């Protein structure tokens, strides 16, 4: 049977690329990003890759959406370089938006836009704030079915078969499209964009919109870096001869 | 009243739900309210007995054929109706896939905020919360102001504690579920075909990162020499296609709690470390004495993993710790 092209929306979020140590701004309201690069979450990379693969298979378009400051256009273009077609920036300014406002801004943009999306793909939770609810809230506002935490997805004849991991196996769900699906890393192997794709992504069209803020109910007071035990390690050696001491440790712990 | 969503497998209550009950009991004690629970499916008596011992007074049981298989939106609707009928001030769910999903639906239907990954609550004029960001790399202090306070409890961060109470009273609760709430329903459970000791249960986890340069053979051989050991990896190794994602340890991978964790050729990025913070001991093998992992480890060997791993395997054999 002939495939119908799919319109897919994938939502991503710009987050700092933290390394081995995280430090905060003086007012403790955010991560100090002065010497950090930015990225989007691995879950969302998989969401973008899945969208692109589905369109390669069925035909159609992938639109990438982000809510954030204007800088987030950089992440939109990175996602477009992975094979998406165009982008939407919901310009939320420099303030951090909470989950209620974020979800309603995204759902409003979908409702007010001209495209009827068959599938809305999200990361299961954002890497930074980990609110775990954006996809579900968007689905509720748009009255669409939704399943979260997906690590395997197959679409045929307008039905999505989605699996998520549980200890010892996976749960299988069947959902009629249009639908909202939130995914986890492991769903696929996101591609590295080519230089050429990156160049082209610079020219892709990005639609800019200004969403209305929303009453949140959950208000950040301050952030804290948890204490870690940074006492230096006992150095067992600097050559393979240290193996003797390693086995001593294993024997002491009674694991061998 | 504080209402807690309890998950169970044929009457066997899941650990994260018991942890959620501990936090919920703390909230109930602070507000002077009673602690109740809601659970789906049969085996109510077994559930009531276990959660009674964790301080629950009454268990509301939804035992409805239409909800026999997990259906996130319908479960969310049922939780909303139960909370509304009881005039609940807080609904607390375990921070599992199902807990977060069900409570998100409830929050959206109630048009209330929801706080995820909470570890502490101080009840004042608002709920003053401590919750995790970045998989626990950062702690957030925030204020939740709502008519019904909805929160999920971060998995394995709060200790479950028995109070020794009697079985909870059981009351049936029959929600009025809409056909449209059943659009997404569990259709099947598949068993995994992965062999060996699961990462989450291993007593020893040896793992490799970008420093392996793609050659995991020595680490594999070492794991085979140690009973109850499993092989893990960093995200860099997965990204390179050297290991399957199921092996990945970290924020977007597995969370492990072995007696000893042996990361080889892994630098110790915060997103990796949140996956192994449950490890009792860390023994790092790295060529770089300045690598962050050395600060975070209890023991370290500063050398090439391709030489150290075979040497450890040989030493194990020499001391009679054969396969
Ligand atoms: C939102 C987000 C989520 C993430 N989630 C995860 C996650 O779940 N898990 C995860 O692991 N990462 C995660 N990351 C990635 C993480 O930030 C790091 O990039 C990653 O952990 C680095 O992997 P690595 O330590 O193997 O590689 P590198 O950082 O490249 O380190 C390689 C190390 O190997 C050492 N080395 C080199 N050769 C040898 C040798 N022959 N013998 C011994 N040592 C040697 C080097 O000194 C170095 O320390 C995430 C990142 C983001 C942004």
């Amino acid at each position: 049977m002939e495939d119908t092209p799919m319109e897919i929306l994938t939502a991503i979020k710009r987050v700092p690329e933290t390394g081995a140590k995280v430090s905060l701004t003086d007012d403790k309201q955010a991560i100090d990003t002065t010497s950090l690069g930015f990225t989007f979450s691995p879950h969302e990379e998989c969401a973008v890759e899945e969208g692109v693969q589905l369109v390669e298979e069925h035909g159609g378009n992938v639109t990438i959406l982000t809510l954030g400051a204007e800088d987030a256009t950089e992440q939109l273009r990175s996602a477009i370089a992975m094979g998406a077609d165009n982008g939407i920036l919901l310009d939320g300014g420099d303030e951090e938006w909470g989950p209620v406002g974020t979800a309603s801004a995204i759902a409003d943009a979908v409702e007010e836009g001209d495209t009827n999306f068959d599938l809305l793909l999200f990361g299961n939770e954002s890497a930074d704030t980990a609110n775990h609810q954006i996809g579900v809230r968007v689905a509720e506002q748009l009255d669409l079915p939704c399943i979260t935490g997906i690590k395997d997805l197959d679409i045929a004849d307008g039905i999505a078969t989605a699996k998520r991991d549980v200890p010892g196996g996976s749960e299988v769900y069947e959902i009629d499209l249009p639908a909202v699906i939130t995914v986890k890393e492991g769903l696929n192997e996101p591609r590295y964009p080519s230089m050429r794709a990156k160049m082209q992504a610079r020219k892709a069209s990005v639609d800019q919109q200004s969403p209305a803020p929303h009453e949140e109910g959950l208000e950040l007071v301050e952030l804290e870096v948890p204490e870690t035990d940074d006492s230096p390690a006992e150095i067992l050696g600097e050559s393979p001869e240290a193996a003797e001491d390693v086995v001593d440790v294993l024997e002491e712990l009674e694991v061998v | 009243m504080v209402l807690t969503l309890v998950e169970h497998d044929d009457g066997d209550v899941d650990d994260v739900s018991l942890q959620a009950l501990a936090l919920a009991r703390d909230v109930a004690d602070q507000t002077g309210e009673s602690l109740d629970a809601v659970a789906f499916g049969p085996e109510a008596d077994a559930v009531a007995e276990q959660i009674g011992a964790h301080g629950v007074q009454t268990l509301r049981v939804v035992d409805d054929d239409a909800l026999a298989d997990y259906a996130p939106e319908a479960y969310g609707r049922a939780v909303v109706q139960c909370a509304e009928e009881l005039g609940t001030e807080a609904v607390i769910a375990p921070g599992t896939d199902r807990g977060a999903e069900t409570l998100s639906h409830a929050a959206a239907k109630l048009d209330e905020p929801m706080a995820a990954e909470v570890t502490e609550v101080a009840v004042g004029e608002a709920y003053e919360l401590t919750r995790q960001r970045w998989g626990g790399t950062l702690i957030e202090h925030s204020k939740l102001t709502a008519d019904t306070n909805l929160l999920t409890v971060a998995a394995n961060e709060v200790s479950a504690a028995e109070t020794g109470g009697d079985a909870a009273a059981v009351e049936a609760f029959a929600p009025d579920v809409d056909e449209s709430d059943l659009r997404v329903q569990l259709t099947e459970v598949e068993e995994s075909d992965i062999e060996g000791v699961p990462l989450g249960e291993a007593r020893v986890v040896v793992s490799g990162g970008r420093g392996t340069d793609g050659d995991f053979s020595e680490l594999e051989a070492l794991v085979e020499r140690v009973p109850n050991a499993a092989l893990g990896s960093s995200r860099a190794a997965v990204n390179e296609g050297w290991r399957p994602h199921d092996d990945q340890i970290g924020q977007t991978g597995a969370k492990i709690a072995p007696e000893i964790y042996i990361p080889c050729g892994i630098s110790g990025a915060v997103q990796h470390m949140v996956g192994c913070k449950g490890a009792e001991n860390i023994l790092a093998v790295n060529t770089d004495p300045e690598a962050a992992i050395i600060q975070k480890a209890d023991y370290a060997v500063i050398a090439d993993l391709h030489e150290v791993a075979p040497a450890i395997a040989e030493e194990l054999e020499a001391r009679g710790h054969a396969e």
Side-chain angles (χ1 to χ4, degrees), chain B residues 216-228:
Chain B
F216 274 71
S217 58
E218 297 106 346
L219 301 184
E220 274 164 348
L222 177 55
V223 165
E224 276 174 21
R225 288 231 156 265
V226 182
N228 271 315

Side-chain angles (χ1 to χ4, degrees), chain A residues 15-19 39-43 126-128 185, chain B residues 134 208-213 233-237 239 242 245 248-255 264-275 285-289 291-293 301 303-307:
Chain A
V15 295
E17 202 163 12
T18 55
T39 182
F40 52 100
S41 152
H43 295 326
S126 65
D128 56 349
E185 193 182 31
Chain B
W134 287 99
R210 201 187 324 263
T212 60
D213 266 330
S233 77
S234 72
R235 179 163 184 255
N239 277 356
W242 301 335
H245 183 268
Q248 182 175 315
I249 290 158
Q251 186 182 337
T252 50
K255 312 274 186 289
C264 303
I266 291 179
S267 62
V270 288
Q271 298 89 355
H272 184 79
M273 298 315 292
V274 297
V285 177
N286 201 301
T287 44
D288 176 8
I293 192 92
V301 177
D304 187 335
L305 71 95
H306 295 295
E307 293 171 10

Side-chain angles (χ1 to χ4, degrees), chain B residues 25 42 54 69 72 90 97 129 141 159 162-163 180 194 219 223 233 236 241 250-251 289 305 308:
Chain B
R25 207 172 67 227
H54 287 257
D69 291 318
D97 278 348
L129 306 179
H141 299 281
S159 312
E162 290 201 16
T163 53
S180 70
I194 295 175
L219 301 184
V223 165
S233 77
Q251 186 182 337
L305 71 95
V308 177

Side-chain angles (χ1 to χ4, degrees), chain A residues 130-133, chain B residues 4-5 7 16 19-20 23-24 91-105 107 113-121 129-132 144 149-155 157-158:
Chain A
N131 287 307
H132 290 269
Q133 58 196 272
Chain B
T4 310
L5 175 64
E7 284 185 61
V16 188
Q19 297 158 17
L23 188 83
V91 184
I92 295 180
T96 55
D97 278 348
R98 285 189 182 187
E101 189 173 55
T102 300
L103 206 68
S104 300
H105 278 291
M114 171 187 118
E117 310 258 1
V118 175
T119 56
E120 281 171 56
V121 180
L129 306 179
T130 305
R131 59 176 291 264
Q132 298 200 328
L144 181 64
N149 294 280
L150 303 170
L151 49 102
T152 70
V153 180
E157 293 293 332
V158 177

Side-chain angles (χ1 to χ4, degrees), chain A residues 3-19:
Chain A
D3 250 340
T4 8
M6 295 183 70
E7 285 292 343
I8 300 177
L9 182 89
T10 303
I12 64 172
K13 180 179 185 187
R14 174 179 170 91
V15 295
E17 202 163 12
T18 55

